[in-house]
Amino acid sequence: MHRCVRHKDALFEEEGSRTRGKMLADAFEAFLGALYLDRQPLGLGLAAVKAFTAATLFEEETDATVDERRWMDPKARLQHCLNEFSALTGARLSKTFELLEEFGPAHERMYVVGCYINGALVASARGLSITDAQMGAALRALESLHLAPEEPEEPEEGEV
């Protein structure tokens, strides 16, 4: 997709640029929406999008990817885990994010966000945007609660 999106902006051209990533994500989302709408009159909109994403995003789809919801962003995965825990135990768990600190010049502002579960600080992280910091805090919360999926270990050199 990155080869198809053209934009004359120095920020967009930089590899790893937030602008570039956001524009590519928006273009991909628009494409999926168009695919859905194109196939919907036939009643196949969702099936077409699922087939396309399975073939392009999850080429090497594993049961672990689906079962452990690795395809979800950390905030959504944390919310899903809290909902599942609440459904199993009947305990009501709620997550909130709070801006703890911001520092740096206006053009390079850094944000520190805390992830709270039922009012208790579980994790914090920093990022170049509040959203990035929230994602990092959610990921750290998943790790501290031992809910983050274990990455498969790479075999050491010489092992099969």
Side-chain angles (χ1 to χ4, degrees):
M1 172 100 27
H2 68 281
R3 291 185 189 105
C4 300
V5 177
R6 303 253 187 254
H7 192 272
K8 292 186 180 191
D9 186 351
L11 282 176
F12 182 77
E13 297 303 324
E14 292 177 27
E15 281 295 321
S17 166
R18 283 190 294 167
T19 304
R20 178 184 176 83
K22 173 92 172 88
M23 289 182 76
L24 289 173
D26 288 347
F28 188 70
E29 182 180 357
F31 174 78
L32 291 180
L35 178 61
Y36 174 84
L37 291 174
D38 182 58
R39 301 296 182 207
Q40 191 54 28
L42 304 172
L44 301 173
L46 190 57
V49 170
K50 282 183 175 180
F52 176 79
T53 55
T56 58
L57 297 179
F58 304 115
E59 289 177 11
E60 299 174 12
E61 183 177 318
T62 64
D63 291 335
T65 301
V66 175
D67 293 343
E68 296 173 8
R69 301 192 177 279
R70 291 182 188 173
W71 49 271
M72 293 176 113
D73 68 64
K75 283 175 63 176
R77 195 165 54 228
L78 178 60
Q79 186 63 54
H80 177 79
C81 290
L82 295 177
N83 290 345
E84 278 191 344
F85 183 81
S86 294
L88 290 172
T89 64
R92 174 129 169 81
L93 297 177
S94 64
K95 85 172 174 348
T96 56
F97 294 95
E98 185 177 314
L99 181 62
L100 302 175
E101 183 182 0
E102 60 182 280
F103 56 90
H107 67 282
E108 288 183 348
R109 181 86 49 198
M110 287 294 281
Y111 301 92
V112 179
V113 171
C115 178
Y116 293 80
I117 297 179
N118 285 0
L121 180 63
V122 176
S124 65
R126 67 180 180 184
L128 292 172
S129 71
I130 292 176
T131 302
D132 288 346
Q134 287 176 340
M135 291 293 185
L139 183 59
R140 287 186 174 173
L142 285 164
E143 291 167 351
S144 71
L145 297 170
H146 304 289
L147 298 173
E150 298 285 326
E151 292 298 323
E153 291 185 23
E154 296 290 323
E156 291 187 23
E157 202 170 303
E159 286 186 26
V160 179

